[in-house]
Amino acid sequence: MAKDTLKDPYEALGVAKTASDAEIKKAYRQLAKKLHPDLNAGDAGKLEQFKAVSAAYDLLRDAEKRRRFDAGEIDSSGQERPQRQYYRQYAESDPSNRYEFDGGMDDLGDIFSRAFRSHGQGGQGGFSGGPSGGQSQFRMRGADRHFHMEVDFLDAVQGVSRTVTLPEVGRIEVSIPAGIEDGQTLRLAGKGEPGIGGGPAGDAMVRIAVRPDAVFTREGNDLLLELPVSIDEAVLGGSVEVPVPGGRVKLKVPPNSSSGRVMRLRGKGVAPARGTPGDLLVTLKIVLSESDDTALADAVRAWRAKNHYDPRAGWRGNRS
């Protein structure tokens, strides 16, 4: 049996075979952010690792593909393993009939005779008569072609039109709708394999992989980001610029805002082509200056002497 062309998907993501969907997704996000080509420009090794991680997640996130891989029906690249399939069919069959053809037909001649009979009766059979009414021709729809396309996070959120070159298809305009999610598939009608005997062409099936973003993450139609704020902005409040898809907006930070406070900007999340727009959820994170600020330290000491409080009062971690 030929070896798999790709690394074992569980090994690529660093998870156990018993890992839950949430654990697989978390492992993929962590690795994708670390290995993303935008953060490792010119590093061919990191690029190959990123591709392997993306391929592994593409397989394991699909429940049916994961089941078939675990059962040994497909390899890590998603290709069939016919040897195992045939063996299972052999093992599960009646011992006295293991080597007999069982396709619901008597023999191959019956297959062709039924096809010709269907055409002769005006049906939509797989054979059509030639110009002279003599030799018949097989007519069949072309096979679908399957492609993989990576898009930037914000392009997936906002939608974008791309001119791409697909193998054996050539240059083609692909319209990516706003709000498309990682793993969704676009169907390009008639861009697959040519039909046989005048049959229609198949379709091109383009599976979308959304690259992670350095600022935003997505949950449904909501976008999440962590916003650094200074200590004075947190204590006194202030107006801070926040990135949103397509631009920036002002966010009013209330006085006495702690790290971890979540603020919601309604309608500033993903606005899908169909459905209700999501929100932008901004989590505040207080960031101190890296330089020594003696004036700030003196002010805090003076404040502590008069206004000490216990921020861990009622905290669950205090339980013995």
Side-chain angles (χ1 to χ4, degrees):
M1 182 182 297
K3 290 185 177 180
D4 294 354
T5 57
L6 297 178
K7 190 176 183 180
D8 178 274
Y10 294 103
E11 184 181 348
L13 293 176
V15 298
K17 290 189 176 182
T18 56
S20 66
D21 291 343
E23 291 171 331
I24 289 172
K25 186 175 184 179
K26 181 179 179 181
Y28 165 71
R29 283 184 171 180
Q30 291 176 341
L31 289 170
K33 286 183 178 181
K34 177 182 176 182
L35 301 171
H36 196 282
D38 290 348
L39 302 178
N40 301 279
D43 191 328
K46 287 287 192 341
L47 177 60
E48 290 305 311
Q49 291 179 52
F50 180 77
K51 289 180 179 179
V53 165
S54 298
Y57 180 62
D58 190 49
L59 188 147
L60 295 182
R61 73 186 303 274
D62 187 309
E64 177 62 13
K65 285 185 179 179
R66 182 180 181 183
R67 182 198 67 75
R68 298 192 67 203
F69 175 79
D70 291 344
E73 296 176 4
I74 59 174
D75 62 22
S76 57
S77 64
Q79 300 299 311
E80 296 285 343
R81 283 175 165 162
Q83 293 91 338
R84 294 190 181 185
Q85 181 183 23
Y86 296 157
Y87 173 77
R88 188 179 64 254
Q89 292 173 347
Y90 165 82
E92 294 176 354
S93 65
D94 186 324
S96 63
N97 294 310
R98 283 178 176 170
Y99 298 97
E100 293 182 5
F101 174 76
D102 183 16
M105 304 273 187
D106 294 332
D107 54 28
L108 291 178
D110 191 28
I111 296 175
F112 285 95
S113 66
R114 293 192 187 190
F116 280 111
R117 186 161 60 249
S118 173
H119 170 69
Q121 294 172 350
Q124 298 296 319
F127 290 84
S128 58
S132 62
Q135 184 179 7
S136 296
Q137 184 181 19
F138 184 70
R139 185 176 185 274
M140 180 179 175
R141 178 184 181 276
D144 292 336
R145 291 190 176 114
H146 294 268
F147 302 98
H148 179 271
M149 177 187 292
E150 292 188 355
V151 298
D152 289 333
F153 185 93
L154 288 176
D155 284 341
V157 169
Q158 298 175 275
V160 68
S161 183
R162 287 268 190 87
T163 300
V164 298
T165 301
L166 300 180
E168 301 181 19
V169 176
R171 292 175 65 83
I172 185 173
E173 191 80 9
V174 178
S175 179
I176 299 173
I180 194 168
E181 296 188 53
D182 181 60
Q184 282 191 279
T185 299
L186 297 175
R187 180 186 294 272
L188 307 180
K191 300 301 181 181
E193 297 285 350
I196 299 173
D203 300 332
M205 311 296 288
V206 183
R207 188 175 180 88
I208 300 298
V210 180
R211 299 188 186 103
D213 189 78
V215 175
F216 298 102
T217 55
R218 179 175 177 176
E219 288 186 0
N221 284 338
D222 290 337
L223 294 179
L224 290 69
L225 68 81
E226 189 176 71
L227 178 67
V229 294
S230 63
I231 188 170
D232 57 295
E233 289 170 334
V235 173
L236 303 176
S239 182
V240 183
E241 273 199 349
V242 177
V244 296
R248 304 179 75 84
V249 298
K250 290 283 189 177
L251 173 68
K252 187 177 181 180
V253 178
N256 298 319
S257 291
S258 299
S259 274
R261 181 170 186 170
V262 179
M263 307 187 67
R264 183 184 297 269
L265 295 178
R266 297 195 178 279
K268 297 299 183 181
V270 180
R274 297 179 181 177
T276 305
D279 303 329
L280 176 63
L281 303 179
V282 181
T283 301
L284 302 182
K285 178 183 179 183
I286 299 173
V287 179
L288 299 179
S289 172
E290 293 184 0
S291 60
D292 293 333
D293 191 332
T294 55
L296 175 62
D298 291 341
V300 172
R301 288 192 191 96
W303 180 90
R304 176 192 284 176
K306 297 179 180 180
N307 303 279
H308 178 70
Y309 74 103
D310 184 1
R312 290 166 292 281
W315 179 49
R316 282 184 251 176
N318 286 333
R319 292 180 302 183
S320 56

